[in-house]
Amino acid sequence: WGGFGHITVAYVASNFVANSTTAFFQDVLRNDTEDYLAGVATWADSVRYTQWGRFSGPFHFIDAADNPPHECGVKLERDCSKQGCIVSAFANYTGRILDGRLPESEREIAAKFLIHFLGDIHQPLHTEHVARGGNGINVTFGGVKYNLHHVWDVEIPEKVVGGVGKEHPYTEARQWADSLTEEIHSGKFKASSRSWRKGIKLSNPESTSLGWASETNSYVCTTVLPLGPEAIVNQELGTSYYEKAAPVVEAQIAKAGYRLAAWLDLIASKID
Ligand code: DCM
Ligand code: DCM
Ligand code: DCM
Ligand code: ZN
Ligand code: ZN
């Protein structure tokens, strides 16, 4: 996701975590405001292109060798690269937050990576290999040229809320998060949010995040590339494409935030 998506995921999570979890992560992240999660949600993207952070580039995705729209699915042995992937990174950083022997600075870094990767694992094109997660597929959206990956990272989420001013992503993300929170509490996500908690096991971060990646990857076959990649190359992604994609993006952002809250609750209660 772009910054707007990641910040929204973080605000949804802050709406659902237990008070003791808030206190725990405000301490780890050394930020006692209500933006303690949102404020670090894009940090991982800011370090990946620096010399220090280069190693973390592969951690933002898993290149599942699927064949959309015919075959979707993620297999860890087959798909996680030697340099790591989002599933192995999620497990590594969960272990590092829980490891009380590590310096506080390392546990802070681990928390910042985890908050970000839980968002990315819900973006269908971060769980899929075709043209590097769609980065090599040129399309137009509203008449403007983009690659498919960028359309899903940024353009669809921002269009869902009617456009995001570059000056106020935090304000607008907060509003979107509050509306998604309401939908989870008592609206259109109330029933499905129960199932969003299934398969979450702090004792097995790898199986937990692989389950999320597999679920996310299924949308590549149904919604991202329903007619395969060739069908959309250099094409306009028109109204009917957007109308099927937007509800998936909305649900994936809501799910990511809700699951981030559940995961942070488990981590905080294990340590306390
Ligand atoms: N890593 C590291 N130290 C760095 C940069 C990256 O350890 N300065 C990465 C490489 C591995 C992961 O962390 O993906 C595990 O490292 P280690 O073998 O040190 O535990
Ligand atoms: N690192 C990592 N995963 C590991 C070990 C290290 O991502 N298992 C990263 C985070 C650290 C950086 O590498 O800040 C440098 O770690 P080290 O000093 O252990 O090489
Ligand atoms: N990306 C991905 N899958 C890949 C390569 C990249 O999901 N195989 C993501 C990471 C960034 C975006 O695509 O969100 C752009 O990556 P890069 O700047 O590495 O091209
Ligand atoms: Zn992306
Ligand atoms: Zn990312």
Side-chain angles (χ1 to χ4, degrees):
W1 306 113
F4 181 59
H6 282 289
I7 296 165
T8 305
V9 168
Y11 278 131
V12 171
S14 4
N15 285 341
F16 282 99
V17 289
N19 292 337
S20 51
T21 304
T22 302
F24 177 81
F25 280 96
Q26 284 181 332
D27 183 42
V28 169
L29 296 166
R30 296 175 300 124
N31 178 337
D32 60 10
T33 73
E34 62 176 28
D35 307 319
Y36 64 108
L37 299 179
V40 299
T42 64
W43 173 85
D45 278 332
S46 73
V47 300
R48 58 183 298 202
Y49 302 107
T50 67
Q51 197 183 355
W52 176 85
R54 271 178 66 87
F55 71 96
S56 64
F59 300 172
H60 293 252
F61 54 85
I62 182 164
D63 272 341
D66 53 6
N67 179 26
H70 310 291
E71 258 182 64
C72 272
V74 181
K75 293 180 181 162
L76 195 58
E77 291 290 295
R78 180 192 66 181
D79 300 326
C80 193
S81 95
K82 274 202 201 47
Q83 287 72 42
C85 66
I86 197 162
V87 171
S88 61
F90 184 81
N92 175 38
Y93 291 118
T94 297
R96 287 173 73 85
I97 301 182
L98 290 169
D99 187 348
R101 296 165 304 181
L102 284 175
E104 283 176 5
S105 58
E106 289 298 327
R107 296 171 71 211
E108 179 183 355
I109 288 170
K112 292 194 285 193
F113 274 132
L114 208 58
I115 291 160
H116 183 90
F117 296 149
L118 215 149
D120 275 342
I121 207 166
H122 288 83
Q123 208 285 48
L125 286 166
H126 279 246
T127 63
E128 160 355 275
H129 78 134
V130 175
R132 292 176 294 111
N135 278 289
I137 301 178
N138 295 322
V139 296
T140 66
F141 186 67
V144 183
K145 288 183 183 180
Y146 300 106
N147 73 62
L148 181 67
H149 189 96
H150 176 89
V151 171
W152 277 80
D153 263 355
V154 175
E155 301 306 323
I156 298 172
E158 295 192 356
K159 189 176 162 91
V160 165
V161 301
V164 176
K166 292 299 162 214
E167 298 89 69
H168 305 291
Y170 287 85
T171 313
E172 292 169 46
R174 164 101 256 168
Q175 286 169 8
W176 192 23
D178 287 347
S179 114
L180 294 173
T181 297
E182 189 59 34
E183 297 291 355
I184 295 170
H185 274 309
S186 50
K188 65 183 170 200
F189 296 136
K190 188 176 177 190
S192 40
S193 62
R194 266 176 239 281
S195 72
W196 295 351
R197 267 178 289 181
K198 282 193 195 139
I200 299 186
K201 278 199 274 181
L202 187 62
S203 60
N204 200 340
E206 198 173 86
S207 75
T208 301
S209 58
L210 183 61
W212 296 335
S214 303
E215 179 196 87
T216 302
N217 174 271
S218 72
Y219 294 108
V220 175
C221 282
T222 60
T223 315
V224 180
L225 296 168
L227 301 172
E230 299 78 13
I232 61 163
V233 172
N234 294 327
Q235 302 295 307
E236 165 74 11
L237 302 176
T239 308
S240 83
Y241 186 95
Y242 172 76
E243 282 173 356
K244 292 185 186 85
V248 170
V249 165
E250 233 188 331
Q252 290 303 98
I253 295 283
K255 240 184 244 181
Y258 189 74
R259 286 169 170 167
L260 177 56
W263 197 252
L264 298 183
D265 277 346
L266 288 171
I267 289 172
S269 58
K270 170 112 180 188
I271 289 176
D272 279 349

